[in-house]
């Protein structure tokens, strides 16, 4: 039997990364161009980085969407395999329990990786864009070759 703690921890981390991607995407879409240009003129390196993302916005957003999808699918796959292995041995109708757990997982993804980051980063787009600039750079460099 698989110990569920590492798998649940992995799922939480992957959903967290998905939430960062969704928040960064929302923030870049809603950032104030004028404010970023002013901060950039004052020497703010993160603002310069955000302005660079805005110049190639569609490609950066595509990379963030790709990363979001990869993180969510990986979390779902890890959870599904763990749930099936854990319960298939114990229950003859394990698929019912696995289906219920999948619905719970989907609900967690929608709430924690979609709705909450979107709400936070819509209301504070500039701050979110600046705080996630480093994360977006890493995601951009990793997922750029597979994003369209």
């Amino acid at each position: 039997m698989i110990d569920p703690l590492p798998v649940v921890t992995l799922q939480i981390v992957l959903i967290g990364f998905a939430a960062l991607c969704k928040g960064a995407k929302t923030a870049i879409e809603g950032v104030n161009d004028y404010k970023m240009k002013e901060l950039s003129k004052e020497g703010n390196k993160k603002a310069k980085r955000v302005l660079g993302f805005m110049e190639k916005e569609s490609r950066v957003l595509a990379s963030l969407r790709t990363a979001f999808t990869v993180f969510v699918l990986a979390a779902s796959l890890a959870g599904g395999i763990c749930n099936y292995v854990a319960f298939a041995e114990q229950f003859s109708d394990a698929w019912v329990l696995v289906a219920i757990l999948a619905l719970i997982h989907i609900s967690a993804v929608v709430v924690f990786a979609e709705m909450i980051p979107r709400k936070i980063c819509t209301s504070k787009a500039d701050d979110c864009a600046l705080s996630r600039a480093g994360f977006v750079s890493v995601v951009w460099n990793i997922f750029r070759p597979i994003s369209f």
Side-chain angles (χ1 to χ4, degrees), residues 92-115:
S92 60
D93 290 333
W95 65 271
V96 174
L97 190 55
V98 170
I100 291 169
L101 290 171
L103 289 174
I104 292 170
H105 177 75
I106 291 168
S107 300
V109 167
V110 168
V111 170
F112 295 111
E114 288 270 352
M115 295 172 70

Side-chain angles (χ1 to χ4, degrees), residues 137-146:
S137 291
V138 171
V139 169
W140 165 248
N141 287 322
I142 293 172
F143 289 95
R144 179 178 19 180
I146 60 173

Side-chain angles (χ1 to χ4, degrees), residues 57-105:
E57 183 176 354
S58 63
R59 295 184 68 207
V60 172
L61 295 179
S63 293
L64 288 168
R65 280 191 296 272
T66 302
F68 175 84
T69 303
V70 167
F71 291 135
V72 169
L73 288 175
S76 300
L77 182 63
I81 291 170
C82 178
N83 292 338
Y84 183 76
V85 170
F87 297 114
E89 298 172 356
Q90 298 174 4
F91 303 102
S92 60
D93 290 333
W95 65 271
V96 174
L97 190 55
V98 170
I100 291 169
L101 290 171
L103 289 174
I104 292 170
H105 177 75

Side-chain angles (χ1 to χ4, degrees), residues 35-80:
K35 184 175 180 181
M36 285 301 130
K37 287 177 185 173
E38 289 299 315
L39 288 172
S40 179
K41 286 179 187 175
E42 294 171 6
N44 187 323
K45 292 180 182 179
K46 290 182 179 180
K48 289 178 184 178
R49 192 177 283 176
V50 171
L51 284 173
F53 296 148
M54 293 169 64
E55 289 174 3
K56 48 189 175 271
E57 183 176 354
S58 63
R59 295 184 68 207
V60 172
L61 295 179
S63 293
L64 288 168
R65 280 191 296 272
T66 302
F68 175 84
T69 303
V70 167
F71 291 135
V72 169
L73 288 175
S76 300
L77 182 63

